[in-house]
């Protein structure tokens, strides 16, 4: 599984972008609204080999609202790219990961399918189908 991005929950994408810019990051996408997840998204990079996805809820019911309430602005998921989403989910389910979000098209990735899984010892994992 290849690392795709780290997900960072924030109340304000604009404020977080300003602060991450002090660490050398720049926006590498437009701000994207994902109505399925009820969030806005922005991808940033600092010239090295990783992306951070700034995620801000636009709806009270978004799971990201709960994360912000509990932890404030924080890293909250790691996303890996996988060749076959269903196979990867079946494999992780057999290794005691729980499916939090079944395969869902993600507007941020040209409607490629994503899924979220959780294990108490790794936290939240996102899988993105190639
Ligand atoms: Ni993500």
């Amino acid at each position: 599984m290849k690392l795709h991005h780290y997900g960072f929950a924030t109340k304000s994408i604009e404020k977080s972008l300003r602060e991450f810019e002090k660490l050398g990051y720049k926006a590498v996408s437009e701000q994207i609204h994902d109505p399925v997840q009820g969030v806005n998204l922005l991808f940033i990079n600092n010239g090295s080999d990783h992306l951070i996805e700034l995620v801000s809820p636009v709806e009270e019911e978004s799971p990201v609202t709960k994360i912000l309430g509990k932890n404030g602005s924080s890293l909250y998921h790691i996303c890996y790219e996988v060749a076959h989403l269903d196979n990867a989910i079946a494999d992780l389910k057999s290794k005691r990961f729980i499916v939090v979000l079944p395969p869902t098209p993600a507007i941020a990735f040209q409607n490629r399918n994503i899924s979220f899984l959780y294990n108490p010892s790794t936290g939240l994992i996102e899988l993105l189908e190639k």
Side-chain angles (χ1 to χ4, degrees):
M1 296 202 296
K2 192 174 164 238
L3 174 68
H4 188 276
H5 65 263
Y6 299 102
F8 186 86
T10 174
K11 284 193 184 90
S12 165
I13 285 180
E14 290 71 24
K15 274 189 195 161
S16 286
L17 175 61
R18 274 205 300 279
E19 299 308 312
F20 272 106
E21 280 172 348
K22 297 171 187 171
L23 301 170
Y25 288 86
K26 288 190 175 73
V28 292
S29 75
E30 298 297 314
Q31 189 164 306
I32 301 153
H33 176 60
D34 186 335
V36 179
Q37 296 189 74
V39 295
N40 286 329
L41 304 169
L42 182 76
F43 288 90
I44 62 174
N45 170 262
N46 72 348
S48 67
D49 60 357
H50 68 281
L51 286 171
I52 294 178
E53 175 190 42
L54 301 179
V55 184
S56 187
V58 290
E59 287 162 24
E60 265 311 296
E61 316 84 71
S62 167
V64 182
T65 306
K66 282 192 206 114
I67 289 160
L68 285 169
K70 247 169 67 182
N71 302 330
S73 296
S74 54
L75 283 173
Y76 78 102
H77 73 260
I78 305 174
C79 178
Y80 298 96
E81 222 174 11
V82 297
H84 300 288
L85 189 55
D86 289 340
N87 294 355
I89 291 169
D91 178 48
L92 289 175
K93 274 171 82 173
S94 76
K95 295 171 180 167
R96 307 179 69 177
F97 281 75
I98 297 158
V99 176
V100 177
L101 179 75
T104 303
I107 199 160
F109 307 113
Q110 292 77 42
N111 288 322
R112 287 156 66 188
N113 280 327
I114 59 162
S115 178
F116 279 95
L117 294 98
Y118 179 80
N119 175 295
S121 300
T122 63
L124 197 59
I125 300 292
E126 179 182 13
L127 300 179
L128 168 63
E129 192 159 52
K130 268 185 191 151

